[in-house]
Amino acid sequence: MNDRTADENVPAGAESRPTLKTIAFMTGLGVTTVSRALKNAPDISADTKRRVQLVAKQVGYRPNRAGVRLRTGKTNVISLLLNTDEQLMGFISDIIYGVSRALRGTPYHIILTPYSGRDDPMDAVRYVVETQSADGIIISRTEPQDARVLYMLEHKFPFATHGRTDLGNAHPWHDFDNEVFAQLAVRRLARNGRKHLALLAPEPKLSYYRHMTDGFADGIAECGLTEIPFHNCWVDEPIDRIRDAAIELFKRPNRPDGVVCGSGASAMAVVNALEMCGMSLGKEIDVVTKQSTPLVQMFRPGLYVVEEDFRLAGRELANAVLGQIEGRPVSDLHSLSVPELVRDPTFAPADPPHKGG
Amino acid sequence: MNDRTADENVPAGAESRPTLKTIAFMTGLGVTTVSRALKNAPDISADTKRRVQLVAKQVGYRPNRAGVRLRTGKTNVISLLLNTDEQLMGFISDIIYGVSRALRGTPYHIILTPYSGRDDPMDAVRYVVETQSADGIIISRTEPQDARVLYMLEHKFPFATHGRTDLGNAHPWHDFDNEVFAQLAVRRLARNGRKHLALLAPEPKLSYYRHMTDGFADGIAECGLTEIPFHNCWVDEPIDRIRDAAIELFKRPNRPDGVVCGSGASAMAVVNALEMCGMSLGKEIDVVTKQSTPLVQMFRPGLYVVEEDFRLAGRELANAVLGQIEGRPVSDLHSLSVPELVRDPTFAPADPPHKGG
DNA sequence: GTCTAAATCTGTATCGTTACAGCTACAGTT
DNA sequence: AACTGTAGCTGTAACGATACAGATTTAGAC
């Protein structure tokens, strides 16, 4: 299938994809010169560069990725590590789009490296690092002492995390400020006169569990409220599981009159549950949640929502890894999204601006 | 960063990744022999093969993808073409998971090739085909006379489509039977005594527009109902746009008493709209929709839903491309998902089994 | 006129793999 | 003894790109 007939080093007909050799032949220059001219090397005359670049453009030259990769080790690939077990993965597509948006116009491709929760998540990272199948990695579901992060730091492999770690700014990251989110949420409920609040938090091993519970606790203390524990259930669990757990919660004698939900989908399950228990939103209870699509707000007019923009997260993460690959200082490669409470467009009365607590 | 110090051809310390050369050195064989032994070539003795394979396993040998790709042209990559403009892309992540599931255990990687609706979708296909950046392509949003399909057929490039084309079985595809879906939906509404039905269909240029409208029309005729036109709006549009269009619809004097929605998210918008118009689900009107997560059913207990499994679609699509790459006959590479009406778990009375019309 | 330096260009080796065309050794045939 | 066949192994040359160490030309210095 390979190995042509008898062309020695003279590209004959307009056959397959042009290579450096093609351009070298057309311009009468050496392959090396062409290579260097195309990357604007200083030891090539401006004239030659123009000529080579013109011809390259004309014939539609594109460097062969395998060739570059073999010779230089540069893959021009960013790997997105995905846990394929998560139930409510809608937002992953938004991250993907954000990443691809940031990578548009660069030579980078996005490759997906999925892992199942049954596997060790480390395997996926190790695979990419060991086989050098990418120049950088983006991970999510970050943990405070994330083994993947330690591994990549140790191997000096470029990466960015969605969510922070206990290592602070030692590596690039993007995060949504879940502490502020939870605090805003509690304040909103307090303003509605709610006293007994429950929090549907993420899985405790994840970094943002701490952020969210801290913000929640602060809000509770600040407003003089009490917390109703809701600790047998997390936002990433299957939707029916959450609903069932919420039904349990609402059947307890000390049921909450306000709930803060860490994700849009889980909020839907919670609302579903409370209605099945004969309560109704805005009456016996209020719910505040995050949303990443307007769907959540449409679910029930009485829901209070805070927008979390995952496309933005994707863009930030991509730029962060690229930044590290390019060797920019790590201190430039962090970003934190600050949440804002969105007024319910159809139901809730407008809040007076800038009045907290 | 490359070009080691002075090892000639003797791999010295336990440095970087083992290559064929490493194994050749360790076994005392030639590089060619090692290569052939690892792929079970017939001209290598069984003894040698065992020995080589053992050593390869011991040192954790993995072929260098760039080397293979450069020499053979085989990329071991499947490219997933994505339109990044779509609004409700939740299901894309399910397709991705399905694909990655099917590719687990194979040497294939998934690479994403996004395109914006503003670009020509052909550009993305052409890019992959011309630069040979993948061994196969999966596309969605298939059209009856899809230019991408014609192009890939012409270039004999392996691919599979999510949705069918007018070319019938000339290429691998997977599809959900939207005709049956619409027909089931209409029958369900007819059984509830609904007479005036509207259909929220996909964008007319897409293949499944025809399927869905045909099924709908058949159902209407079969049950002796009338169609209320709802043609200024499609399922892929922004969620608020759909809601506004639905509000228009419900304000018309001849408003429908039943709606069939081509997607879960659009159904939420429609229900939102009808409630804003003072109607209520199950009373003045019934709605049937597809759902790909249990969320939709949770949205309103009165909704009738049909499950569409996008993970399955992903698996089928991946297997279809792989099949074509392996040269299996195209006739084996088609699959159609048959929809089933799911009874509402909480609200709707159980239907007597096997009673259509 | 010789020498040096700078500016420009080029050949060779190499990354890891595989296709191809041998090569070697030994057994069997005549 | 000479020949053929075959099983089993191997060297060489690519694939396309780039690092590196020259090569060539020209201008300028003395």
Side-chain angles (χ1 to χ4, degrees):
Chain A
M1 203 203 274
N2 237 320
D3 292 279
R4 326 189 189 131
T5 42
D7 60 353
E8 250 319 274
N9 42 26
V10 180
E15 317 167 36
S16 52
R17 214 144 85 81
T19 70
L20 289 181
K21 206 151 117 186
T22 318
I23 300 176
F25 177 72
M26 293 175 75
T27 55
L29 294 163
V31 172
T32 304
T33 312
V34 173
S35 170
R36 312 221 59 203
L38 286 174
K39 32 176 58 66
N40 254 307
D43 62 347
I44 305 291
S45 76
D47 217 44
T48 303
K49 282 186 201 166
R50 266 203 310 280
R51 209 154 61 83
V52 169
Q53 282 160 7
L54 178 70
V55 174
K57 192 164 198 178
Q58 285 294 327
V59 301
Y61 170 76
R62 286 166 185 285
N64 180 308
R65 309 187 119 236
V68 176
R69 179 164 167 180
L70 182 57
R71 179 67 241 239
T72 65
K74 180 122 215 261
T75 62
N76 285 311
V77 161
I78 299 294
S79 168
L80 214 57
L81 251 64
L82 298 184
N83 183 334
T84 54
D85 288 331
E86 285 176 66
Q87 304 298 323
L88 327 160
M89 297 300 302
F91 72 89
I92 268 299
S93 53
D94 281 315
I95 293 191
I96 288 172
Y97 292 143
V99 172
S100 77
R101 162 80 187 276
L103 259 36
R104 186 181 306 169
T106 76
Y108 286 92
H109 284 181
I110 310 174
I111 186 169
L112 301 181
T113 308
Y115 62 93
S116 148
R118 285 182 297 285
D119 314 335
D120 186 354
M122 280 297 295
D123 289 346
V125 177
R126 257 197 296 264
Y127 174 82
V128 175
V129 173
E130 281 176 8
T131 66
Q132 300 201 74
S133 47
D135 296 334
I137 294 182
I138 294 175
I139 67 171
S140 53
R141 297 183 64 79
T142 308
E143 304 176 15
Q145 297 287 338
D146 202 297
R148 302 168 297 176
V149 170
L150 295 171
Y151 179 84
M152 290 186 284
L153 278 176
E154 196 176 322
H155 287 75
K156 297 203 197 312
F157 198 92
F159 68 98
T161 62
H162 190 205
R164 283 160 286 177
T165 64
D166 281 353
L167 298 161
N169 290 344
H171 58 84
W173 52 261
H174 170 82
D175 207 354
F176 176 83
D177 197 330
N178 284 287
E179 189 166 350
V180 169
F181 157 71
Q183 211 165 11
L184 278 180
V186 171
R187 288 198 193 130
R188 170 72 262 188
L189 293 170
R191 237 179 310 162
N192 282 19
R194 304 305 179 181
K195 300 286 182 210
H196 310 285
L197 309 190
L199 170 68
L200 180 46
E203 204 172 340
K205 69 176 185 184
L206 302 180
S207 291
Y208 77 112
Y209 171 81
R210 177 46 82 90
H211 300 143
M212 203 179 283
T213 52
D214 280 359
F216 185 77
D218 284 359
I220 290 278
E222 173 190 320
C223 306
L225 313 178
T226 62
E227 170 174 6
I228 308 291
F230 185 24
H231 295 154
N232 55 340
C233 176
W234 312 311
V235 293
D236 294 324
E237 294 192 79
I239 199 82
D240 330 42
R241 216 355 244 97
I242 297 178
R243 186 189 37 198
D244 295 346
I247 291 176
E248 289 295 315
L249 176 72
F250 295 132
K251 278 188 183 153
R252 295 217 292 254
N254 61 337
R255 69 187 191 187
D257 57 4
V259 182
V260 178
C261 292
S263 81
S266 67
M268 298 199 192
V270 166
V271 171
N272 198 252
L274 69 86
E275 289 177 350
M276 287 174 79
C277 293
M279 304 165 78
S280 83
L281 204 60
K283 236 175 132 196
E284 297 91 345
I285 192 166
D286 275 318
V287 174
V288 186
T289 181
K290 286 200 267 185
Q291 79 170 0
S292 56
T293 89
L295 273 181
V296 182
Q297 204 156 44
M298 226 163 245
F299 184 67
R300 292 293 183 281
L303 267 174
Y304 292 98
V305 300
V306 168
E307 304 264 10
E308 178 166 8
D309 186 344
F310 285 106
R311 292 199 174 209
L312 170 70
R315 288 203 301 278
E316 292 289 336
L317 286 166
N319 288 328
V321 211
L322 289 192
Q324 186 159 54
I325 291 173
E326 289 161 9
R328 289 223 305 279
V330 194
S331 53
D332 293 357
L333 305 174
H334 310 117
S335 59
L336 189 61
S337 257
V338 182
E340 259 179 86
L341 195 64
V342 174
R343 265 193 307 282
D344 183 304
T346 58
F347 227 46
D351 296 323
H354 292 287
K355 285 235 170 118
Chain B
M1 202 204 271
N2 235 319
D3 291 279
R4 326 190 189 131
T5 42
D7 61 353
E8 251 317 275
N9 43 25
V10 179
E15 318 166 37
S16 53
R17 214 144 85 81
T19 70
L20 289 180
K21 206 150 120 185
T22 318
I23 301 176
F25 177 74
M26 294 174 75
T27 55
L29 294 163
V31 172
T32 304
T33 312
V34 173
S35 171
R36 313 222 63 211
L38 287 175
K39 29 176 61 67
N40 255 307
D43 62 348
I44 306 291
S45 76
D47 217 44
T48 304
K49 281 184 199 168
R50 266 202 311 279
R51 209 154 61 84
V52 168
Q53 282 161 10
L54 179 69
V55 174
K57 193 165 198 175
Q58 286 295 327
V59 300
Y61 170 75
R62 287 168 184 284
N64 180 308
R65 308 187 119 236
V68 175
R69 181 165 166 180
L70 182 56
R71 179 67 241 235
T72 66
K74 179 125 216 264
T75 62
N76 284 310
V77 161
I78 299 295
S79 169
L80 214 57
L81 250 64
L82 299 183
N83 182 335
T84 55
D85 287 333
E86 286 175 66
Q87 305 298 322
L88 327 159
M89 297 300 302
F91 72 90
I92 268 299
S93 54
D94 281 314
I95 292 190
I96 289 173
Y97 293 143
V99 172
S100 76
R101 162 81 186 275
L103 260 36
R104 186 181 305 169
T106 76
Y108 286 92
H109 285 181
I110 311 174
I111 185 168
L112 301 181
T113 309
Y115 61 94
S116 147
R118 284 182 297 285
D119 313 335
D120 186 353
M122 281 296 295
D123 289 346
V125 177
R126 256 197 297 262
Y127 175 82
V128 175
V129 173
E130 280 175 7
T131 66
Q132 302 201 71
S133 48
D135 296 334
I137 295 181
I138 293 174
I139 67 170
S140 52
R141 296 182 64 79
T142 309
E143 304 176 14
Q145 296 288 337
D146 201 299
R148 302 168 299 175
V149 170
L150 296 171
Y151 179 85
M152 290 186 285
L153 278 176
E154 197 177 322
H155 287 75
K156 297 203 196 313
F157 198 94
F159 68 97
T161 62
H162 189 205
R164 284 160 285 177
T165 64
D166 282 352
L167 297 160
N169 291 344
H171 59 84
W173 52 260
H174 170 81
D175 207 354
F176 176 82
D177 197 330
N178 284 287
E179 188 166 350
V180 169
F181 157 71
Q183 209 165 11
L184 277 179
V186 171
R187 287 197 193 131
R188 170 73 260 185
L189 294 170
R191 238 180 309 163
N192 282 21
R194 304 305 180 182
K195 301 285 183 209
H196 309 285
L197 310 189
L199 171 68
L200 181 46
E203 204 172 339
K205 69 176 184 182
L206 303 179
S207 291
Y208 77 112
Y209 170 81
R210 176 47 83 90
H211 301 142
M212 201 179 283
T213 52
D214 280 358
F216 184 76
D218 284 359
I220 290 278
E222 173 190 320
C223 305
L225 314 178
T226 62
E227 170 174 7
I228 307 291
F230 184 23
H231 295 153
N232 54 338
C233 176
W234 312 312
V235 294
D236 295 324
E237 293 190 78
I239 200 81
D240 330 43
R241 203 22 225 93
I242 296 178
R243 185 187 40 195
D244 294 348
I247 291 176
E248 288 295 314
L249 177 70
F250 296 131
K251 278 188 183 154
R252 295 218 291 254
N254 61 337
R255 69 188 193 186
D257 57 5
V259 183
V260 178
C261 292
S263 82
S266 67
M268 299 198 192
V270 166
V271 171
N272 198 253
L274 68 87
E275 290 177 350
M276 287 174 81
C277 293
M279 305 164 77
S280 82
L281 205 60
K283 235 175 133 197
E284 296 92 343
I285 192 166
D286 276 318
V287 174
V288 186
T289 180
K290 286 200 266 185
Q291 80 169 359
S292 56
T293 90
L295 273 181
V296 181
Q297 205 156 46
M298 226 162 246
F299 184 67
R300 291 295 182 280
L303 265 175
Y304 292 98
V305 300
V306 168
E307 304 264 10
E308 177 166 8
D309 187 343
F310 286 105
R311 292 200 175 209
L312 171 69
R315 288 203 300 279
E316 292 289 336
L317 286 166
N319 288 328
V321 212
L322 290 191
Q324 186 160 54
I325 291 174
E326 289 161 9
R328 289 222 305 279
V330 193
S331 53
D332 293 357
L333 306 174
H334 309 118
S335 59
L336 189 61
S337 257
V338 182
E340 261 178 86
L341 195 63
V342 174
R343 266 193 305 283
D344 184 302
T346 58
F347 226 53
D351 296 322
H354 292 287
K355 287 237 170 117

